[in-house]
Amino acid sequence: IRERLRLRRQFAGKMNFYLTAVDEQLRHPDDKPSIGLLLCKDNDKLVVEYALRDVAKHQASLETAQRIAHLGSWEWNLQRNEVYWSPETFRILGLPPNAATPSVDRFLAQVHPEDRAAAEQAVSDLVRTGKFSGRVVRMVRPDGGGGHVQLQGLSSFNARGTVSQLAGAIQDVTELKEAEQRIRESVV
């Protein structure tokens, strides 16, 4: 008995997984990102809409959670030198979302001058060894304001054992640092 394969919502998520794997492992630096198509034997437009809407819904939910927690995410593909920042990362850095091309140099330029050398060394260590321990640095926003951010990072290695992809989080901890300072001042 031949069973007909029907489109399920999870197929859209699986497709994204495979497209990411193809792009990271096989794509040449000059190639455009891969595009996936879901072809259905049944002409069930409603099922396709729901599958794709679920992907968009999960993305919107993630962005909302990041905004509430003041927690942004970032990724850096070392092979293509492509950097991605979530919308919340832009906001933490004092930039309108997608207003500038994300880059490591752009981020480091916003690190307070007294913290910059340590931040540059942490990035260098992460690229070289794949290891990174959390670090809090001061930021200088384009409007002249400042703040503190907690940085976290992790790495992925290619088949040769070298770091090929970095990902991490940036969290605005300014309110926490200000509260710590108020406590220290009240004790003195």
Side-chain angles (χ1 to χ4, degrees), residues 20-172:
T20 299
V22 166
D23 280 349
E24 289 180 3
Q25 301 298 319
L26 303 174
R27 191 175 95 179
H28 185 273
D30 296 333
D31 293 343
K32 300 282 186 213
S34 299
I35 297 172
L37 297 174
L38 295 174
L39 302 176
C40 309
K41 185 173 184 177
D42 292 341
N43 188 11
D44 194 341
K45 183 179 175 184
L46 185 62
V47 172
V48 173
E49 281 182 32
Y50 279 121
L52 297 176
R53 193 178 309 161
D54 276 356
V55 172
K57 179 179 158 188
H58 292 300
Q59 178 67 30
S61 179
L62 173 62
E63 289 180 15
T64 298
Q66 285 189 349
R67 192 165 194 164
I68 290 167
H70 299 293
L71 176 70
S73 58
W74 56 269
E75 296 175 14
W76 182 11
N77 182 309
L78 297 172
Q79 294 169 326
R80 293 189 300 275
N81 196 29
E82 293 176 352
V83 177
Y84 164 82
W85 290 347
S86 68
E88 187 60 20
T89 298
F90 279 95
R91 283 188 279 277
I92 289 169
L93 298 175
L95 301 166
N98 300 317
T101 302
S103 73
V104 175
D105 290 337
R106 182 177 302 280
F107 165 75
L108 290 171
Q110 286 191 240
V111 173
H112 190 280
E114 293 176 13
D115 295 348
R116 193 169 299 138
E120 288 171 347
Q121 185 62 50
V123 169
S124 177
D125 290 347
L126 182 59
V127 169
R128 190 172 39 76
T129 67
K131 296 179 181 168
F132 182 81
S133 57
R135 177 178 302 273
V136 175
V137 297
R138 293 170 290 172
M139 301 298 297
V140 179
R141 295 187 176 93
D143 66 3
H148 292 81
V149 295
Q150 169 78 35
L151 304 173
Q152 295 289 338
L154 55 89
S155 55
S156 299
F157 296 85
N158 62 22
R160 293 184 306 274
T162 58
V163 177
S164 61
Q165 177 90 14
L166 303 174
I170 177 173
Q171 185 169 23
D172 186 341

